[in-house]
């Protein structure tokens, strides 16, 4: 039995964010890559978490019946996945929240406000140049160029993070009964609230990707993919025993 992973990208990027993982995963699991509203193929759509849940639901609903479904979201995609799971946890066999373990209130919200404010202040052209420069310094071309090829999507950033700050809380996971993995980079500033999510969700555990920051799937692609595959095997083993 093969698990089916539904992959949801983070802020400002698109489904091409997963390009480094796809060749590492596709021989072991089936994959669906989702573009969130305001991003990628859905760039013309308005961003709301409710619409994100609809889009994720379409992807989950398209998985063949009887196939274990694991929803994987990174950063903004993690909060969107969390919102979906809060409403439709009965459709999931596993949930992975990568780089989305900060509680977006109080001091934790400063990170989100900073991202949105910087994007608004610099504007899309300068942000594109900044992103290109930073990403090319951090990663080799063969790893990052397929990600960048999908484009950047700055317009929804402020709205998206306002919704996250207003609506997303650890309590969203209280009724999620499937296994949940908090997959965080060792140096990721957005893992600051992981304990609150672990307390809220008894089925959750945290795994750390060593020598990785917020973009742990780009920093350590093999380690990130290995963590997803171990979790997927755990989910399929449970499904086969049921």
């Amino acid at each position: 039995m093969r698990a089916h992973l539904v992959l949801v990208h983070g802020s400002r990027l698109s489904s091409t964010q997963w390009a480094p993982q796809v060749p590492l995963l596709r021989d072991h699991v089936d994959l669906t890559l989702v573009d969130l509203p305001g991003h990628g193929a859905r760039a013309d759509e308005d961003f709301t978490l409710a619409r994100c849940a609809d889009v994720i639901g379409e992807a989950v609903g398209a998985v063949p019946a009887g196939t274990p479904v694991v929803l994987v979201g990174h950063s903004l995609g993690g909060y969107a996945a969390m919102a979906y799971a809060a409403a439709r946890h009965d459709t999931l066999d596993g949930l992975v929240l990568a780089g989305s373990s900060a509680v977006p209130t109080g001091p934790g919200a400063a990170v989100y406000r900073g991202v949105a404010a910087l994007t608004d202040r610099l504007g899309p052209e300068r942000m594109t140049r900044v992103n290109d420069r930073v990403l090319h310094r951090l990663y080799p071309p063969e790893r990052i160029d397929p990600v960048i090829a999908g484009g950047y999507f700055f317009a929804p950033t402020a709205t998206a993070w306002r919704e996250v700050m207003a609506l997303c809380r650890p309590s969203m996971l209280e009724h999620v009964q499937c296994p949940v993995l908090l997959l965080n980079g060792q140096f990721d500033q957005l893992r600051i609230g992981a304990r609150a999510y672990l307390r809220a969700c008894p089925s959750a555990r945290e795994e750390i990707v060593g020598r990785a920051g917020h973009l742990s799937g780009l920093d350590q692609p093999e380690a990130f993919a290995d963590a997803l595959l171990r979790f997927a095997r755990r989910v399929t083993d449970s499904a086969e025993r049921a």
Side-chain angles (χ1 to χ4, degrees):
M1 180 183 294
R2 285 165 65 101
H4 194 116
L5 272 58
V6 176
L7 305 177
V8 189
H9 63 86
S11 182
R12 298 177 292 171
L13 295 173
S14 71
S15 54
T16 61
Q17 175 184 334
W18 300 105
Q21 269 72 54
V22 168
L24 301 171
L25 298 171
R26 63 188 172 198
D27 290 339
H28 309 282
V29 295
D30 296 320
L31 299 171
T32 296
L33 278 60
V34 172
D35 280 324
L36 290 174
H39 303 76
R42 298 181 180 274
D44 293 336
E45 296 185 22
D46 292 334
F47 184 98
T48 67
L49 282 175
R51 179 58 185 149
C52 289
D54 290 341
V55 169
I56 292 170
E58 292 169 9
V60 171
V63 175
T67 302
V69 180
V70 178
L71 178 58
V72 182
H74 172 259
S75 192
L76 177 62
Y79 291 103
M82 198 183 304
Y84 174 81
R88 297 294 310 279
H89 57 86
D90 57 311
T91 66
L92 300 176
D93 297 282
L95 175 65
V96 180
L97 304 175
S100 46
S101 299
V103 180
T105 59
V111 175
Y112 304 94
R113 292 195 186 95
V115 170
L118 180 64
T119 299
D120 285 344
R121 186 165 64 249
L122 294 183
E125 291 185 6
R126 289 180 65 192
M127 280 298 297
T128 294
R129 292 195 296 271
V130 169
N131 277 16
D132 281 347
R133 190 179 308 119
V134 170
L135 291 175
H136 278 117
R137 283 179 181 173
L138 291 174
Y139 307 111
E142 64 273 15
R143 187 184 308 172
I144 199 60
D145 284 349
V147 176
I148 293 174
Y152 303 116
F153 301 90
F154 303 112
T157 300
T159 297
W161 288 112
R162 277 197 298 269
E163 287 229 342
V164 167
M165 288 186 286
L167 300 174
C168 293
R169 301 291 184 270
S171 59
M172 297 173 78
L173 299 180
E174 286 179 352
H175 301 295
V176 176
Q177 297 180 353
C178 68
V180 176
L181 176 64
L182 308 181
L183 184 58
N184 293 316
Q186 180 181 2
F187 307 115
D188 186 358
Q189 70 274 23
L190 297 192
R191 59 174 287 225
I192 189 172
R195 290 183 181 178
Y197 288 94
L198 294 172
R199 287 194 299 269
C201 184
S203 65
R205 65 181 180 86
E206 184 182 22
E207 183 169 342
I208 302 300
V209 180
R211 304 190 309 280
H214 183 56
L215 294 171
S216 54
L218 294 177
D219 294 336
Q220 301 292 340
E222 292 83 3
F224 188 93
D226 285 347
L228 291 184
L229 291 175
R230 285 194 302 273
F231 184 75
R233 283 194 293 270
R234 175 186 169 199
V235 167
T236 53
D237 288 347
S238 296
E240 289 173 347
R241 288 196 298 268

